[in-house]
């Protein structure tokens, strides 16, 4: 018998009688007076930055300046560049800044959800030195339950919740920002 | 024979300041957990939901695994099944050979530790680089992780500094965590971009979608998986949950219980391999199906590996993870390991005060301390308890069944401890180790009650 069948048979023989899954009552779940304020508070508490923008056009200036700096800067807020999809990790290791659009933010934990299509290349949000993400204020939901109601994790090949910059506390529990991935994470919230 | 917990713990506590520091550091993490939990008014509901989802998953596990296999295969992921740790290692070795791969990075996976994958591959001339900072530190030192979430929690920054000086050529005596992390960042980024194959663990596998979720703070799983041409994810079969919406419950519970964070920095949802990439999932049994059949212990398969039970455990905090001599230490390890090898791990269920703190913090409501107590009975029944403990316990059994002898021994004991205390306060009495013996009372409670019980009533 194959290991597959052996394992599945053993499980079937040993698993307990069927019990029902719970009903998750979202009425008992926390709510906030203002999801944006909560999102900002939590995200800043875990090392992220939040900037409120009245208009996304304000960013363009900054992106132009960044691009002029001579460092590798990728902007995918409006359009996913097919070239970038093809870049290897060797090439992306030089990536200084990346601007990406995200789907939604979560007030309870300061995370934002990104689909693969918003990154173009799965490595971008992880390998860059500085991560810049854009969401709309109305797209900040209260909790993870609400987030999963709005996203479809099976829609694309990959997706991720990101909460602030990469970090570690593996050396004597001292928090160090920028372990392998982004050293800063800025979320631009457009009103 | 493997050294026993008590002996290894004894070695650990010879350095008293370090023991105290270890204890305080973990208690600090436990306090962070408390603070995070208090911010969620529905915390107890969340735990209940988490527990019930896992109960449900276990009760329908064979179906969910088949569903997962079918969906994942349709997503272009190759599924492998490993009945044992050895088979798990063989499967991975084969994939490496087939693709003729030299450079491998691995992100933290306690399952690969459980199967001793690194050793297995090393014996076959293949080197794996652990990419989680804590894991890399212990790997350099040729040690095992001492904690499932904080692998290098037993080390001080001086230790890390010396290790990095030796292996990464960092400045001698520079103990700054920022500086040391920066050195590791540079070193590991080189490894990531060069890597051809990446091995990760799995935090949750979703039957409904055939995808899986990996949670990290450093982003190392992603750096590896998205760089390499081949990605192998390894999971114990109990990682299955039914639906995507259930992830909400577990992602809310996991990081808060583990480190007091509202969520890990990266919660990555893998659904399909990227274009041109090979993706494999190895589903491992290695004793889990046996545990599923043990009614008293099957609850342990609900564990989401947050380590909250480690951080709160008064024994773990003071004895260090290595004293458990198994890949998963702490209270939950003491339940899982006797299932794998009852004889070799018969000491572990006794490495607990049974205070119940582990049970109180467990996000999926595993009755940890009750299971430890049940294992003790199992172990005694199977005759795996060591001789001193057995003599002691048999003696107690006699004592408790003959009240007159019990009273007489009590009297003698009190007299002896009062008049000649050195008889008990010495190294031959195991109970005296690390403890001051109490001053004995003049009379027994029974005698006191006989004298005073009546007068108090009136
Ligand atoms: S037993 Fe509970 S508290 Fe311990 S690691 Fe598992 S889930 Fe966490």
């Amino acid at each position: 018998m194959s290991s597959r069948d052996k394992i599945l048979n053993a499980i079937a023989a040993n698993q307990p009688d069927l019990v029902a899954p719970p009903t998750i009552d979202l009425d008992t779940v926390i709510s906030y007076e203002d999801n944006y304020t909560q999102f900002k508070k939590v995200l800043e508490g875990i090392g992220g930055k939040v900037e409120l923008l009245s208009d996304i056009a304000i960013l363009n200036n900054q992106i132009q300046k960044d691009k002029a700096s001579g460092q590798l800067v990728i902007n995918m807020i409006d359009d996913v560049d097919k070239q970038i999809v093809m870049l290897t990790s060797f090439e992306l290791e030089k990536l200084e800044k990346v601007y990406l659009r995200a789907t939604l933010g979560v007030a309870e934990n300061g995370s934002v959800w990104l689909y693969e299509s918003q990154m173009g290349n799965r490595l971008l949000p992880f390998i860059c030195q500085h991560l810049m993400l854009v969401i709309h204020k109305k797209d900040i939901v209260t909790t993870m339950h609400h987030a999963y109601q709005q996203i479809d994790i099976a829609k694309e090949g990959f997706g991720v919740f990101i909460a602030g910059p990469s970090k570690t506390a593996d050396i004597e529990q001292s928090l160090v920002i920028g372990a392998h991935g982004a050293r800063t994470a800025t979320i631009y919230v457009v009103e | 024979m493997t050294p026993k917990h008590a002996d290894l713990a004894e070695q650990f506590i010879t350095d008293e300041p370090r023991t105290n520091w270890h204890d305080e550091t973990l208690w600090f993490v436990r306090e962070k957990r408390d603070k995070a939990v208090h911010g969620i008014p529905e915390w107890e509901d969340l735990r209940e939901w988490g527990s019930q989802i896992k109960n449900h998953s276990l009760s329908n596990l064979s179906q969910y695994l088949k569903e997962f296999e079918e969906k994942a295969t349709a997503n272009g992921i190759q599924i492998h099944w490993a009945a044992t740790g050895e088979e798990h290692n063989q499967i991975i070795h084969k994939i490496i050979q087939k693709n003729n791969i030299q450079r491998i990075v691995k992100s933290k996976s306690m399952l690969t530790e459980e199967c001793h994958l690194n050793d297995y591959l090393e014996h076959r001339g293949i080197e794996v680089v652990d990419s989680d900072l804590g894991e890399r530190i212990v790997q350099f030192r040729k040690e095992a992780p001492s904690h499932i979430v904080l692998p290098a929690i037993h080390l001080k920054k001086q230790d890390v500094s010396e290790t990095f000086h030796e292996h990464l050529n960092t400045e001698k005596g520079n103990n700054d965590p920022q500086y040391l992390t920066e050195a590791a960042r540079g070193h590991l980024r080189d490894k990531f971009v060069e890597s051809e194959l990446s091995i990760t663990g799995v935090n949750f596998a979703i039957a409904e979608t055939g995808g899986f979720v990996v949670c990290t703070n450093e982003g190392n799983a992603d750096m590896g998986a998205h760089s390499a041409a081949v990605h192998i994810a390894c999971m114990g079969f109990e990682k299955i949950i039914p639906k995507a919406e259930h992830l909400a419950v577990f992602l809310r519970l996991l990081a808060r219980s583990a480190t007091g964070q509202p969520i890990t920095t990266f919660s990555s949802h893998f659904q399909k391999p990227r274009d041109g990439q090979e993706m494999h999932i190895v589903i491992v049994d290695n004793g889990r199906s046996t545990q599923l059949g043990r009614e008293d212990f099957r609850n342990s398969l609900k564990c989401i590996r947050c380590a909250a039970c480690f951080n709160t455990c008064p024994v773990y905090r003071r004895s260090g993870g290595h004293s458990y001599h198994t890949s998963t230490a702490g209270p939950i390890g003491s339940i899982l390991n006797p299932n794998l090898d009852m004889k070799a791990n018969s000491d572990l269920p006794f490495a607990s005060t049974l205070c119940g703190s582990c049970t109180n913090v467990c996000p999926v409501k595993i009755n940890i301390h009750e299971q430890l107590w049940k294992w003790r009975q199992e172990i005694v029944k199977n005759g795996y308890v060591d001789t001193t403990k057995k003599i002691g316990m048999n003696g107690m059994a006699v004592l408790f069944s003959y009240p007159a002898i019990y009273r007489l021994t009590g009297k003698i004991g009190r007299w002896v401890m009062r008049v000649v205390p050195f008889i008990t306060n010495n190294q031959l009495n195991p109970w005296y180790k690390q403890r001051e013996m109490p001053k004995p009372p003049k009379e027994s409670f029974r005698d006191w009650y006989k004298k005073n019980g009546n007068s108090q009533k009136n």
Side-chain angles (χ1 to χ4, degrees):
Chain A
M1 206 189 326
S2 69
S3 287
R4 174 190 184 274
D5 296 342
K6 209 160 62 187
I7 296 168
L8 286 173
N9 289 346
I11 293 174
N14 286 342
Q15 71 193 24
D17 294 340
L18 191 67
V19 292
T23 349
I24 294 164
D25 177 7
L26 289 198
D27 290 343
T28 64
V29 159
I30 197 165
S31 60
Y32 304 103
E33 229 159 78
D34 174 26
N35 278 347
Y36 168 72
T37 312
Q38 176 68 19
F39 175 80
K40 183 175 161 75
K41 190 176 102 189
V42 178
L43 187 57
E44 287 174 349
I46 52 180
K49 285 184 223 147
V50 179
E51 279 191 40
L52 195 60
L53 299 178
S54 54
D55 187 342
I56 195 163
I58 302 172
L59 263 187
N60 289 338
N61 243 341
Q62 186 189 320
I63 296 172
Q64 289 321 316
K65 243 199 280 162
D66 285 344
K67 285 202 160 176
S69 71
Q71 289 172 315
L72 180 56
V73 175
I74 295 174
N75 171 22
M76 300 226 280
I77 294 178
D78 300 313
D79 204 9
V80 171
D81 186 342
K82 289 281 172 303
Q83 294 263 260
I84 284 146
V85 179
M86 307 309 295
L87 291 182
T88 65
S89 50
F90 275 102
E91 292 160 315
L92 287 174
E93 222 279 299
K94 308 271 170 323
L95 180 59
E96 183 66 14
K97 268 190 187 179
V98 63
Y99 289 85
L100 303 172
R101 211 178 258 286
T103 307
L104 53 78
V106 186
E108 69 157 321
N109 57 28
S111 68
V112 295
W113 170 264
L114 285 122
Y115 281 112
E116 178 167 17
S117 58
Q118 293 168 315
M119 329 171 189
N121 185 317
R122 291 184 189 185
L123 261 174
L124 284 196
F126 304 97
I127 204 166
C128 63
Q129 300 289 331
H130 302 279
L131 177 61
M132 316 299 202
L133 301 170
V134 179
I135 55 172
H136 283 286
K137 198 173 178 187
K138 63 167 180 30
D139 294 329
I140 302 179
V141 299
T142 313
T143 70
M144 293 299 279
H145 306 289
H146 305 91
Y148 280 105
Q149 284 173 346
Q150 295 202 13
I151 59 175
D152 174 5
I153 62 164
K155 195 170 96 186
E156 300 187 5
F158 178 73
V160 62
F161 283 103
I162 299 182
S166 155
K167 57 176 88 61
T168 180
D170 271 343
I171 302 177
E172 261 199 43
Q173 280 297 291
S174 321
L175 185 69
V176 179
I177 304 281
H180 306 291
R183 299 169 189 273
T184 67
T186 309
I187 318 299
Y188 295 100
V189 180
V190 184
E191 290 211 72
Chain B
M1 208 179 94
T2 26
K4 292 289 162 185
H5 175 268
D7 302 323
L8 294 165
E10 196 171 335
Q11 283 167 30
F12 184 77
I13 59 169
T14 46
D15 186 345
E16 193 173 327
R18 195 180 263 261
T19 310
N20 293 340
W21 165 80
H22 190 263
D23 175 22
E24 282 156 20
T25 308
L26 286 151
W27 187 250
F28 173 68
V29 184
R30 150 82 212 245
E31 283 176 331
K32 285 203 290 188
R33 173 251 173 221
D34 291 349
K35 237 182 260 157
V37 162
H38 292 148
I40 303 294
E42 68 275 22
W43 184 255
E44 287 306 313
D45 288 338
L46 260 187
R47 286 179 74 211
E48 187 56 37
W49 296 335
S51 170
Q52 287 185 23
I53 296 167
K54 283 283 181 178
N55 285 339
H56 167 70
S57 312
L58 290 184
S59 77
N60 196 33
L61 197 53
S62 56
Q63 276 310 318
Y64 280 140
L65 279 165
K66 281 185 218 159
E67 185 183 342
F68 176 75
E69 178 185 41
E70 191 188 309
K71 299 273 168 65
T73 310
N75 292 338
I77 305 175
Q78 302 178 44
I79 302 287
H80 310 261
W81 300 81
T84 61
E86 172 86 12
E87 192 176 3
H88 159 270
N89 297 343
Q90 286 166 357
I91 291 168
I92 294 176
H93 187 215
K94 256 192 220 135
I95 300 172
I96 294 170
Q97 281 183 316
K98 203 185 97 212
N99 291 282
N100 193 20
I101 277 165
Q102 311 297 329
R103 287 180 290 272
I104 302 169
V105 291
K106 176 157 76 67
S107 85
K108 205 168 83 53
S109 147
M110 287 318 293
L111 177 64
T112 59
E113 291 289 332
E114 174 187 317
C115 302
H116 306 290
L117 175 70
N118 285 12
D119 283 352
Y120 181 94
L121 293 178
E122 207 174 296
H123 278 129
R124 285 152 187 83
I126 300 163
E127 191 212 1
V128 178
V129 174
D130 279 323
S131 62
D132 171 276
L133 177 61
E135 290 252 307
R136 188 66 180 142
I137 296 168
V138 294
Q139 189 181 35
F140 276 142
R141 299 170 63 92
K142 302 203 182 318
E143 287 176 13
S146 68
H147 185 287
I148 55 174
V149 171
L150 315 163
I153 194 73
H154 59 292
L155 297 172
K156 307 201 83 163
K157 50 190 178 201
Q158 294 86 304
D159 306 325
V160 179
S161 171
E162 274 160 38
T163 308
F164 279 12
H165 173 66
E166 187 184 323
H167 294 272
L168 298 178
N169 215 3
T170 53
E171 212 174 281
K172 197 171 173 62
N174 190 335
N175 299 340
D176 178 27
Q178 183 86 43
Y179 166 77
L180 296 169
T181 304
E182 192 64 37
R185 176 187 171 103
H187 158 71
L188 285 167
R189 277 199 156 225
D190 290 347
K191 299 286 181 195
F192 285 127
V193 295
E194 289 170 356
S195 75
E196 301 161 302
L197 184 141
S198 159
I199 301 170
T200 70
V202 168
N203 287 88
F204 307 99
I206 306 102
E208 183 189 32
T209 69
F212 60 96
V213 173
V214 180
C215 304
T216 69
N217 279 320
E218 300 178 8
N220 54 319
D222 290 280
M223 289 282 271
H226 307 319
S227 295
V230 183
H231 175 191
I232 307 175
C234 308
M235 58 177 265
F237 64 57
E238 78 284 8
K239 298 278 160 139
I240 288 275
I241 61 169
K243 288 182 170 115
E245 65 184 69
H246 295 140
L247 284 169
V249 173
F250 294 112
L251 292 190
R252 297 187 79 195
L253 287 168
L254 179 63
R256 288 189 176 98
S257 298
T259 53
Q261 291 170 260
I263 186 169
T264 48
T265 305
F266 304 102
S267 309
S268 300
H269 296 53
F270 294 86
Q271 182 70 19
K272 294 176 188 160
R274 63 167 199 277
D275 271 345
Q277 187 191 31
E278 241 182 63
M279 197 181 272
H280 301 261
I281 297 176
V282 187
I283 302 175
V284 180
D285 182 339
N286 202 30
R288 286 165 176 75
S289 56
T290 316
Q291 189 84 325
L292 187 65
R294 296 185 197 262
E295 210 182 319
D296 284 344
F297 304 111
R298 72 162 59 107
N299 252 340
S300 60
L301 295 174
K302 289 155 69 176
C303 176
I304 58 171
R305 301 294 194 273
C306 71
C309 59
F310 289 50
N311 304 338
T312 201
C313 176
V315 176
Y316 175 86
R317 283 188 277 122
R318 288 177 187 79
S319 61
H322 290 149
S323 66
Y324 293 78
H325 58 78
T326 48
S327 61
T328 298
I332 189 67
S334 300
I335 295 171
L336 296 171
N337 291 306
N339 173 61
L340 283 175
D341 187 340
M342 202 194 298
K343 187 161 179 249
N345 300 316
S346 62
D347 55 328
L348 296 181
F350 295 88
S352 165
T353 62
L354 301 188
C355 66
S357 185
C358 45
T359 304
N360 284 330
V361 295
C362 178
V364 288
K365 290 196 168 181
I366 300 174
N367 53 338
I368 307 172
H369 74 294
E370 284 171 20
Q371 293 195 34
L372 289 169
W373 178 68
K374 284 189 173 139
W375 261 130
R376 292 185 185 185
Q377 299 170 48
E378 235 4 74
I379 284 160
V380 172
K381 228 191 297 169
N382 286 278
Y384 289 136
V385 89
D386 64 31
T387 343
T388 24
K389 215 167 249 155
K390 202 159 32 195
I391 294 172
M393 286 202 292
N394 288 342
M396 301 266 251
V398 172
L399 217 55
F400 290 146
S401 24
Y402 298 96
I405 304 183
Y406 174 74
R407 283 200 290 276
L408 180 67
T409 22
K411 210 172 250 168
I412 299 172
R414 279 188 301 280
W415 182 84
V416 168
M417 281 176 77
R418 228 178 21 248
V419 183
V420 273
F422 53 84
I423 289 191
T424 51
N425 298 0
N426 67 51
Q427 297 302 330
L428 292 176
N429 172 11
W431 194 247
Y432 178 64
K433 278 195 227 166
Q434 299 101 42
R435 280 182 197 90
E436 290 297 326
M437 296 304 284
K439 287 233 157 46
K442 284 227 169 58
E443 55 187 354
S444 74
F445 174 74
R446 185 174 182 278
D447 294 343
W448 176 89
Y449 189 78
K450 267 214 306 224
K451 240 190 287 169
N452 300 299
N454 279 340
S455 61
Q456 303 262 320
K457 254 187 242 152
N458 305 329

